[in-house]
Amino acid sequence: MMVKACRRREVNLCLPKYGAIFLLLAVFVLTFILRNMDLQEHKVNSTVILARVSTDQYMHHGFCTFRPLSNEDALEEDLILDSIAWPEAPALVSLEQTSDPSHSTFTIPPKKGGGQWHVGDQLEVMIQMYDFQGQPKKSGGDFLVARLHDQALGAGVAGQVVDHLNGYYSAVFTLLWEGSAEVEVMLKAIMFNVVVTLVHPSEAITVLQRLNSEQPDRIYFQSVFHSGSVSETATCNVCLHPTHKPLCNYTDLHTGEPWFCYKPKTLSCDARINHSRGGFTKNLKDKEEKLFQNNVNMKVSIQASQSANVTVWSNKTEGKNSSVKYGHSGYYYQGEWRALGGPTVRQFNTSSAISQCLKGKAVHLYGDSTIRQWFEHLNEALPDLKEFKLHNLKQAGPFMAFNYAKNIMVTYRCHGPPIRFGTVPTSQLRYIANELDGLTGGSNTIVVLGIWSHFSTFPIEVYIRRMQSIRRAVLRLLDRAPETLVIIRTANPKALTLYETLTNSDWYSLQRDKVLRAVFKGLNVRLVDAWEMGLAHHLPHSLHPQPPIIRNMIDVLLSYVCPQNDG
């Protein structure tokens, strides 16, 4: 009895002790489960419900959800948004009151102080916009471009357009052509032609702005999910309309780049095997389509009220460096691009000249199809550069080519989503920032970036954040390998149809071009100014510029790699 009583007492005394341990274990397990659930929401391949996204952790732009920025990046974003703000157009009352290029005119005023125009002078062309009723416009916001050229000389330069916000605009040129002594003696004076083009009236810009705010998903994407014998297709995008459907969250853990898909009905988010462009939804309001008419109000030349020509006399005492202050990055003369800053542009007209420049180099090209075009050009220009057949899709790559004798490697990889290519395996969806972090870098490494065209339909903040992410990776690369050469290709103008305008207008490209230049300003990177090189050339604008323009771009690229030894 005494033994039993003692044992019962021991049990009673021990129960509180073990009960506390059990309670602690239960709390630990519950905490682990809850924490694991929270971590699962932040995995790359995870299912989240849009309604569960906390407004404390994310900011919203319409139905686009963004991660918060650091104070420094947020301030930079605000400054960039202010710098690219476009003048607001008055409310659209009637299409007859919109800008009409056929009624609008430009004039070339006499030189201030009189006399003849000479090389090195600054020419200012005055433009006045009228509506379809022949009434002068009283507000700004039209998108105009201008070019001064002489096709016989293969010469051209883009003008800098200034909006005076009252229906008047200025196109400013520097008269740059110097010519050889022989040409100067033979010609003495050269007659140039001014071309002013209305890309979009201000009222059309308002529509383009609204589309990106209200319909950033008008181009949508798809992914196939596959497991065993089951396949499902789901819509994906940076911005997805809120529904009761759960979402697969593919936000990149390293860069923070957002990407979402509606979750398939039966398969898990981990079953995603590819990415492709889905389609386009056109949803314009009544009469808005009439704001985007070829030969009427979209990319239409404006006529001069008098002569569109200006005669420029040679001036042997005028140096070309005096023109840099006017903002041109360069100009064409005899079909060749002459830069007004950086190294002298050399002509690499033979395969041996190109391969000698690239000897011992690794050239890594990252971006959209306009950068892939450079890979294709080098592959074609260099017979000894042999492409290694990876059997990838023509659009997306990746591609690799080698010249073993001269130890040259050239690679191309498309940027991560959004990307409007055909089917791309998910294993090949790589963000540029992550790729740059995988490079060793060094004096024999050349990195070329070109990313702009596929971001046109989204709020500009999406592009700003992508550029900031890439910049951080560039700075990390240059920090560990300062001798790495980083070159950035800017956007370029293109031919416009209604579809192209609503998805990839030159105005969208211009805004992103401004962002790119602002984000990388002051860094140890080089620019290939595809925007001015496209505007200044006499060839028609094209998303993929024609070979003479590409050849000049490659000359600029190689001139950075192998600068001319002026000594």
Side-chain angles (χ1 to χ4, degrees):
M1 291 293 295
M2 291 291 296
V3 173
K4 289 181 180 179
C6 181
R7 286 177 178 171
R8 188 180 297 113
R9 192 181 306 113
E10 288 175 359
V11 171
N12 290 336
L13 290 171
C14 291
L15 274 175
K17 175 181 177 181
Y18 288 111
I21 294 174
F22 290 148
L23 180 62
L24 287 173
L25 283 173
V27 170
F28 173 78
V29 170
L30 180 61
T31 302
F32 175 80
I33 292 174
L34 290 174
R35 177 170 176 78
N36 190 56
M37 288 174 63
D38 181 64
L39 288 173
Q40 287 293 322
E41 285 194 357
H42 291 83
K43 284 177 63 180
V44 174
N45 299 326
S46 62
T47 304
V48 298
I49 307 299
L50 193 62
R52 290 172 59 190
V53 176
S54 169
T55 55
D56 293 331
Q57 298 179 0
Y58 294 83
M59 61 175 290
H60 298 272
H61 188 293
F63 54 87
C64 298
T65 303
F66 301 136
R67 288 174 178 243
L69 293 174
S70 66
N71 291 337
E72 183 178 356
D73 285 348
L75 175 61
E76 180 187 38
E77 181 178 276
D78 288 341
L79 292 173
I80 291 175
L81 291 174
D82 288 341
S83 70
I84 66 173
W86 201 263
E88 292 186 12
L92 180 61
V93 177
S94 167
L95 291 171
E96 295 297 312
Q97 296 177 351
T98 63
S99 300
D100 176 18
S102 66
H103 279 94
S104 303
T105 62
F106 72 87
T107 59
I108 303 175
K111 181 179 178 180
K112 291 181 180 179
Q116 298 169 330
W117 294 101
H118 289 89
V119 171
D121 286 342
Q122 187 176 18
L123 174 69
E124 185 174 4
V125 175
M126 298 306 299
I127 307 160
Q128 184 174 13
M129 301 300 297
Y130 290 80
D131 63 22
F132 282 87
Q133 296 174 333
Q135 297 298 312
K137 295 291 292 287
K138 301 297 184 183
S139 59
D142 294 318
F143 179 18
L144 301 166
V145 295
R147 175 167 59 97
L148 180 71
H149 74 106
D150 185 314
Q151 191 165 336
L153 284 176
V157 65
Q160 308 295 315
V161 177
V162 178
D163 186 349
H164 299 289
L165 304 177
N166 58 3
Y168 285 90
Y169 301 77
S170 300
V172 182
F173 304 90
T174 303
L175 305 178
L176 295 163
W177 291 271
E178 298 173 346
S180 66
E182 181 181 2
V183 172
E184 289 176 355
V185 171
M186 289 175 59
L187 297 179
K188 292 188 178 178
I190 303 172
M191 184 172 291
F192 301 104
N193 184 256
V194 176
V195 178
V196 178
T197 302
L198 173 68
V199 182
H200 293 305
S202 59
E203 296 81 5
I205 301 297
T206 300
V207 175
L208 295 176
Q209 290 175 313
R210 180 181 61 78
L211 289 176
N212 274 19
S213 176
E214 298 178 2
Q215 301 174 32
D217 61 341
R218 59 189 181 281
I219 281 188
Y220 58 93
F221 304 86
Q222 292 179 329
S223 278
V224 172
F225 296 73
H226 181 81
S227 180
S229 60
V230 179
S231 291
E232 296 181 75
T233 301
T235 298
C236 308
N237 220 321
V238 175
C239 308
L240 288 175
H241 271 288
T243 68
H244 294 295
K245 298 178 182 178
L247 294 180
C248 293
N249 182 0
Y250 299 104
T251 298
D252 185 75
L253 291 178
H254 183 61
T255 65
E257 299 295 347
W259 194 254
F260 305 96
C261 296
Y262 291 121
K263 186 183 178 303
K265 291 182 179 179
T266 60
L267 296 178
S268 75
C269 295
D270 294 324
R272 179 175 175 242
I273 63 171
N274 64 30
H275 163 93
S276 64
R277 176 180 164 173
F280 166 66
T281 302
K282 185 179 74 173
N283 188 17
L284 293 173
K285 295 180 179 178
D286 185 40
K287 298 181 180 180
E288 283 184 341
E289 189 169 326
K290 293 185 180 297
L291 293 170
F292 306 99
Q293 299 181 76
N294 288 113
N295 302 318
V296 177
N297 56 7
M298 186 167 68
K299 282 221 167 176
V300 180
S301 295
I302 293 172
Q303 299 302 307
S305 60
Q306 298 173 352
S307 173
N309 299 323
V310 57
T311 301
V312 181
W313 294 78
S314 59
N315 186 349
K316 294 181 181 180
T317 63
E318 190 73 39
K320 74 175 182 179
N321 288 335
S322 65
S323 63
V324 176
K325 63 180 178 293
Y326 298 132
H328 305 294
S329 68
Y331 62 100
Y332 288 103
Y333 187 75
Q334 295 180 341
E336 298 172 353
W337 183 254
R338 299 187 176 188
L340 292 171
T344 300
V345 179
R346 302 170 56 191
Q347 277 65 56
F348 295 81
N349 296 323
T350 65
S351 60
S352 60
I354 298 174
S355 58
Q356 185 61 34
C357 176
L358 294 179
K359 184 177 180 180
K361 306 292 185 183
V363 184
H364 300 288
L365 305 166
Y366 300 102
D368 54 36
S369 59
T370 62
I371 281 292
R372 187 188 68 226
Q373 199 177 7
W374 288 14
F375 177 90
E376 294 164 350
H377 177 92
L378 290 171
N379 210 22
E380 183 178 343
L382 297 175
D384 294 333
L385 189 68
K386 304 299 182 183
E387 185 175 351
F388 187 82
K389 299 298 182 183
L390 297 172
H391 305 290
N392 292 317
L393 296 174
K394 176 175 174 55
Q395 279 190 310
F399 303 125
M400 302 177 68
F402 301 92
N403 179 332
Y404 292 101
K406 294 196 172 180
N407 194 27
I408 300 171
M409 177 175 71
V410 182
T411 70
Y412 164 76
R413 180 178 288 279
C414 69
H415 63 74
I419 189 86
R420 302 176 196 166
F421 288 168
T423 303
V424 183
T426 53
S427 62
Q428 299 300 337
L429 291 175
R430 311 282 183 85
Y431 290 102
I432 290 177
N434 291 338
E435 293 297 298
L436 295 181
D437 283 339
L439 289 180
T440 302
S443 60
N444 293 321
T445 301
I446 303 155
V447 173
V448 185
L449 308 175
I451 171 171
W452 54 278
S453 179
H454 298 248
F455 287 78
S456 296
T457 55
F458 301 102
I460 194 69
E461 289 86 350
V462 173
Y463 187 70
I464 293 174
R465 289 155 187 251
R466 180 65 61 93
M467 290 300 101
Q468 289 175 328
S469 172
I470 293 174
R471 181 183 60 191
R472 287 190 287 270
V474 167
L475 289 173
R476 290 191 292 268
L477 172 61
L478 294 177
D479 187 52
R480 65 179 178 271
E483 295 180 331
T484 306
L485 179 60
V486 179
I487 300 169
I488 301 177
R489 181 203 191 279
T490 71
N492 61 263
K494 64 191 74 64
L496 295 181
T497 61
L498 176 62
Y499 165 76
E500 284 290 339
T501 300
L502 300 183
T503 60
N504 212 1
S505 163
D506 279 355
W507 183 79
Y508 289 141
S509 301
L510 174 65
Q511 295 294 84
R512 279 138 194 83
D513 184 71
K514 292 177 180 179
V515 168
L516 182 146
R517 294 170 194 264
V519 170
F520 286 94
K521 183 178 180 180
L523 270 65
N524 185 24
V525 300
R526 310 292 186 268
L527 283 184
V528 176
D529 198 333
W531 184 259
E532 283 201 25
M533 295 180 79
L535 284 181
H537 207 281
H538 67 85
L539 285 172
H541 297 167
S542 174
L543 175 61
H544 300 110
Q546 295 186 36
I549 301 177
I550 294 299
R551 178 183 60 78
N552 275 288
M553 291 180 182
I554 297 299
D555 282 343
V556 176
L557 166 71
L558 296 175
S559 296
Y560 285 131
V561 180
C562 304
Q564 179 173 296
N565 185 358
D566 295 325

